[in-house]
Amino acid sequence: MATHTDVVTKPGPLPELAEPGMLGPRPIAKSGIWSWLTTIDHKRIGIMYGIAALFFIVVGGIEALLIRIQLSVPNNDFLVGDLYNQMFTMHGTTMIFLGVMPLTAAFFNYVVPLQIGARDVAFPRLNTFSLWVFVAGALILNLSWFLGGAPNGAWVGYPPITSPQYNVGYNSDFWIMGLLVLGVASVAASLNFFTTIINMRAPGMTLMRMPVFVWMTLITNILILLAFPPITVALVQLLMDRSFGANFFNYANGGMPIMWQHWFWVFGHPEVYILILPPMGIVSEILPTFSRKPLFGYPLIVFSGAFIGFMGFAVWSHHMFTSGMGVVAVLAFSITTSIIAVPTGVKIFNWLGTMWGGNLRMETPMLYAVSFIAMFTIGGFSGIMHSAAAADYQQHDTYFVVAHFHYVLVGGAISGLLAGLSYWYPKITGRILNEKIGLAAFWTFFVGFNATFFPMHIIGLSGMPRRIYTYDAAMGFNFWNAFVSVSAFVLALSFLMFFYNMYYSYKHGAVAGNDPWDARTLEWSIPSPPPVYNFALTPEVTHLDDFWHKKQTGQPISSAKSELVHMPGSSYYPLVISVGFFVMSMALIYIRNHTLLSTVIAVGGFLTMLFAIYGWSLEGPGGEMLDPNKESGAYN
Amino acid sequence: MNAMRIIQAVLVGGFLFGLYVVAMLWPGALDGPMSFMVADGPVAAAQKNVFWYTVWVSLFLMVTVGSVFIYAIYRFRAKPGADFAVPEQSHGSAKVEIALIVASCLLLVVIAIPNARALFYVDSVPQERREEAIKVVAIGHQWWWEFQYPDLGVTTANELYIPVGKPIEVEIRSADVLHSFWVPRLAGKMDAVPGQINRMWFQADKAGTYQGHCTEYCGDSHANMRFLVEARDDAEFEQWLRNEKKDAAAPASVQEVNGQRIFMQGCNACHMVKGTGAMGMVGPDLSHFAGRKTLGAGIFENNDENLAKWIKYPQQMKPGNLMNLQQVNMVLSDRDVDALVAYLNSLK
């Protein structure tokens, strides 16, 4: 280990300040709307991802409430047939792609560079590009509500129900194009974080000294890189079927509908871990801080995270146990699925081990983290029940499954993300969330969540299928459906309380200071909110939980001298590319029936993109040299 | 460590999990017509057994881990007023980790064995019972089921008659999109995939009506794609079969004759009535319609009022379905509808 502590990087030669962009002036605003639209600062991008994600969680939540109103009584006529189908399709798609994924991306952006002691991500302009392409994809998906009907093929989009023969509107075209665009954003972002984590760590921060959140970010982004190609291929094939009369999934002409399911779940199952691994990382940061103990079994937590990610590619067919794969294939995937319980169990044991013997401060971030463990564990147990394929033949596509994945994704992922929001809110805004409102919001969440989703197990065992807009009064589903619908509003209330707390504390919260939680990782060694350049002095890392170690032993964080920091310039081009991308994708949706017009507009969008790509590549890093000692709020 | 506290924590944890179990087993909660917690045949029973096996293993783990968890939160919480002293620092223990990993692997093997046995059992009719099996072809349509008995020469829709105590071998196909065949009290589900033939089997141990439902999302009226399985003892089944093999009854009254005439002006394009000119293959075979309990694929009781509404307003009764009177140029007066109802009710 000693060899690593000796590493002291000398700053290389300062980058040359580039010429002004060759295709026009660069943005120079430091505040106002344009400074946000053109920013390349990972912290601002993180905040924008976060705001967009919370907005779409509200949208997806409203969709969920409308679904619950329809299901509150049997034979209801509030949302009937196709409209209900659009609602649940968009609820799932929104929550996964526009809610949870960008919220994890918000944390990747804001927290990862700070935790590894970097000034920014490896490719700051690519980061802006990812944000705006994500916004373009989100717009495409949601504009469908106003342009003839939202996607209605369920979030899994199984053909033939999404094939042109059975889905004649543009509903599924919006879905395909939206997901393709979102995929571009995700893959660009994942390349960026992968490179950042591999290359930009502070001197001395070996892989096994990285905070667990950084580890989980690394694994998640590897999963994104590997999982998005299959879904992209599948989406392009379906797009060909719909727009150009191809027959990839059209059985009548020799296509194979079942192939979509394999493509989709080779993406879809890793996607589940893309949603859950970042919250696992967040919880692994919060537990040690609030237990005042190191993470129990750090290497095991890291390796089991990697193992979960790896096995994520070996279990996809457990979503298809009833598709007629044959008993041997079913058994094989049943066994690989159950194996995932082992690394997951290891994580849970180690989180327990972290708390054991600690001095637990049960404040809101810790409460959400603890609720994550409890709810995720319950979801894990119903997962084991599904992995036994013989039993899953009955549970498949019933509310028992709906209960399972909401325990994992709401009780698990959302709990973990709310934990992260409560935990890093002081770092982001400089103020601590109000504890009283926070506690009220937490308990409302905890009660509302369990009252909403636990009874779905019972509804499922009573035999209620998923994705049905109505049910008969004599089936025994009535009481619990009404109960669930009421509880869903309690759950919604808890989110309102959380958002109100964010607003209230932004105005009136206690000032946080650098390190309100007596935390362990580098981001807490700098002011809240951090200065634009992050670290005035590049920290030198000698231990896992380096900041905590230095605090305990009374050492300074860094021995290097403060240098001028190069701050690259903002750029219009990523935004322009995403506008061009948006125009092109929107036009292509209509190519089936308006070939000439949509081709012309698409070419226009493409040329806009091309122009901006050249502008981007020619403008250089730009920016200015900044002296941290002269900046107010600089860390000393 | 204080033994009393551990006991207290276990009691509290046990109480909470107990509440869950009570909620699950609440009288009436789990014995509905579609509950797979009630098994009325050997296949459903095998699946239910594996389910409860996983439940007990999970509950054991849940109570164990949950108790430790709750105890840890209680025991190690920071006391109000006390300083946040730094506790003893520990980084982990290889022995504990290995023990827990080995233990969880063992529990997986414990689940895997009964799971594998059940999987092979429910996959196909046991060898020694192949001879007595009744073959049924179930074809999923948007949004109803067609049932063919290839060895018996009979086709029906939405209500599947089977003899009690005989293995039923189902071959599942689709005519359009994905569907899934599910009768929870008799067996788990199997998808209907275009271009693919899937198989399953089940058996009803006692006579009665079993509720079924399509469980693969299939479009607008997925929620309205229900069906019934009617299990009858051998004599009744034979009687049903004899009737089903006959051509449709000829209209007897003037109104029924009128009804048949109207039927032949459009309905016949999609529906079959054996022994008449109605040879349509798009909708359900109506040769013995009057014997059906339900309308519109298990969603309405089959009575005069519902049938008249169904004929007049099929789209309101079942959104998106293919029954479209404009398409076959039918304009029906109330008298026409009454005549059709009378005719259809004569098709015993």
Side-chain angles (χ1 to χ4, degrees), chain B residues 295-311:
Chain B
L295 272 180
I299 51 177
F300 300 108
E301 191 193 333
N302 185 5
N303 58 35
D304 289 0
E305 190 194 346
N306 282 341
L307 183 54
K309 268 204 278 184
W310 175 267
I311 293 169

Side-chain angles (χ1 to χ4, degrees), chain B residues 244-322:
Chain B
E244 204 69 14
K245 281 179 173 168
K246 287 188 222 153
D247 281 352
S253 71
V254 177
Q255 200 185 25
E256 288 168 21
V257 171
N258 272 334
Q260 191 183 37
R261 183 177 51 78
I262 298 163
F263 192 92
M264 294 306 162
Q265 289 166 0
C267 309
N268 60 337
C270 298
H271 293 284
M272 171 164 319
V273 178
K274 275 193 291 188
T276 72
M279 309 276 273
M281 301 282 280
V282 178
D285 183 323
L286 299 179
S287 307
H288 301 281
F289 171 81
R292 301 220 179 112
K293 287 179 167 175
T294 60
L295 272 180
I299 51 177
F300 300 108
E301 191 193 333
N302 185 5
N303 58 35
D304 289 0
E305 190 194 346
N306 282 341
L307 183 54
K309 268 204 278 184
W310 175 267
I311 293 169
K312 278 195 273 191
Y313 313 112
Q315 290 303 315
Q316 282 89 327
M317 299 283 275
K318 186 169 175 179
N321 85 73
L322 287 180

